[in-house]
Amino acid sequence: MDAELAQLRAAATAEVAAAADAEAIEAIRLRYLGRKGSLNQILRGLGRLSAEERPRLGAVANEVKEAIAGALDARGAALAHEAMARALAEERIDVTLPGRRRPQGRVHPLRQTEDDIVDIFLSMGFSVAEGPEIEDDFHNFEGLNFPPDHPARDSQDTFFVEGGPDLLLRTHTSPVQLRVMRSQPPPVRAVVPGTVYRRDDLDATHSPMFQQVEVFMIDDRVTFADLKGVLAEFARRLFGPQTRVRFRSSFFPFTEPSAEVDVSCVRCPNAPAAPDADCRVCKGSGWLEILGAGMIHPNVLRAGGYDPETVRGFAFGLGTERVAMLRHGLDELRGFYDNDLRFLEQF
Ligand code: PHE
């Protein structure tokens, strides 16, 4: 039996040494040390031995068992260690590779300017209002005091929409004055950003689609002085504290009196008093025309459902592209609509 045990030990250790993975180790453990394993089979023969031989061989068998178990554990630990080392080597991440850059979007320059304009009026207590881009004749013209054949309509060459002579792409944001009046009682203070359309050809400073911001305020004692105060404050906040404003009388069917409003040139350091004679922005005049304004015509208040005997208001409308061009020193607006990232990424 000594020889049998010795042979078992030698065979088991050789197999353990050759085991390639944790599964092989467990299979060997079962085959030699399991309940029905080789060692137990030999031990079952112990009963046949004499009382003197039994304890000695029992001790030898135990030693063999421990030796095999020890070899299995050692080999198992070595294999686990190797597997870990291999995984570390194979799965290593090369942190020196350049990262994948996620393109960062940004706000379009026109929208930035629109947001800045709107924010100034929000800070003065105005609220944002909006209206539809497909308008009807009443809101775009008739209710704004453009009689049906009035030549003032010609200055706003219009895209009519199929489905009736009455539907058109709005030519300005002023129709929203009527929509706001007809939806709420006075007083109102509204700032209305939006897209408008005119049958203009695309050139350096015109586009058939462009953006306006309409601003108006109506209550029982709004005066032309309020219009001047709000506009002067707006111009200073948008273009800088040195900015001056100038009113020239003008005509719009929906305001009376009406004015064109100029701001002192944003490029000439000493405008308006001493403009640069060769300034390409103000052409040496020291002034830039930026918007139309006036006191809302009584007929418009009436069309909005307000009583012109008890309330009055001012309104003005400006072109967002023009303001954005002035702020960024651009002499054409096409870049705003070309979707060329080389242009857009500069803002
Ligand atoms: N709606 C006018 C335009 O588009 C601008 C304007 C608005 C003028 C409000 C006066 C008052 O030209």
Side-chain angles (χ1 to χ4, degrees), residues 57-213:
L57 271 164
V60 172
N62 234 349
E63 199 192 304
V64 167
K65 181 181 174 179
E66 246 136 58
I68 296 173
L72 283 165
D73 289 348
R75 181 70 184 142
L79 283 172
H81 184 80
E82 266 173 43
M84 176 62 85
R86 201 175 320 117
L88 283 175
E90 280 170 7
E91 295 166 18
R92 182 167 41 202
I93 296 167
D94 183 352
V95 294
T96 68
L97 280 175
R100 282 188 203 109
R101 205 174 275 279
R102 200 185 263 255
Q104 167 109 59
R106 65 188 76 204
V107 178
H108 190 281
L110 270 184
R111 194 65 68 219
Q112 286 177 32
T113 288
E114 183 184 270
D115 288 345
D116 292 344
I117 293 170
V118 168
D119 280 349
I120 292 171
F121 291 105
L122 290 180
S123 80
M124 293 193 226
F126 288 72
S127 305
V128 173
E130 287 182 300
E133 290 174 26
I134 298 178
E135 261 299 2
D136 52 40
D137 186 87
F138 173 78
H139 290 91
N140 197 85
F141 291 125
E142 189 89 47
L144 291 175
N145 204 33
F146 288 81
D149 295 310
H150 197 280
R153 290 184 179 223
D154 294 348
S155 70
Q156 302 202 0
D157 235 351
T158 308
F159 290 112
F160 287 90
V161 174
E162 273 184 27
D166 200 37
L167 288 182
L168 48 93
L169 297 181
R170 66 178 177 191
T171 58
H172 51 173
T173 42
S174 299
V176 185
Q177 290 184 33
L178 292 170
R179 292 193 173 272
V180 168
M181 283 186 241
R182 288 156 80 90
S183 70
Q184 66 186 81
V188 295
R189 274 179 294 184
V191 51
V192 183
T195 305
V196 302
Y197 304 83
R198 287 184 201 176
R199 228 206 64 202
D200 274 331
D201 287 326
L202 184 68
D203 67 19
T205 57
H206 294 85
S207 155
M209 177 189 82
F210 58 105
Q211 315 293 314
Q212 286 188 336
V213 180

Side-chain angles (χ1 to χ4, degrees), residues 260-276:
E260 300 273 359
V261 178
D262 303 338
V263 293
S264 50
C265 180
V266 296
R267 291 288 138 192
C268 295
N270 299 314
D276 298 351

Side-chain angles (χ1 to χ4, degrees), residues 19 74 91 98 105 128 180 233 236 247 279 324 327:
E91 295 166 18
V128 173
V180 168
E233 175 64 11
R236 284 191 292 263
F247 286 65
C279 174
R327 293 173 97 199

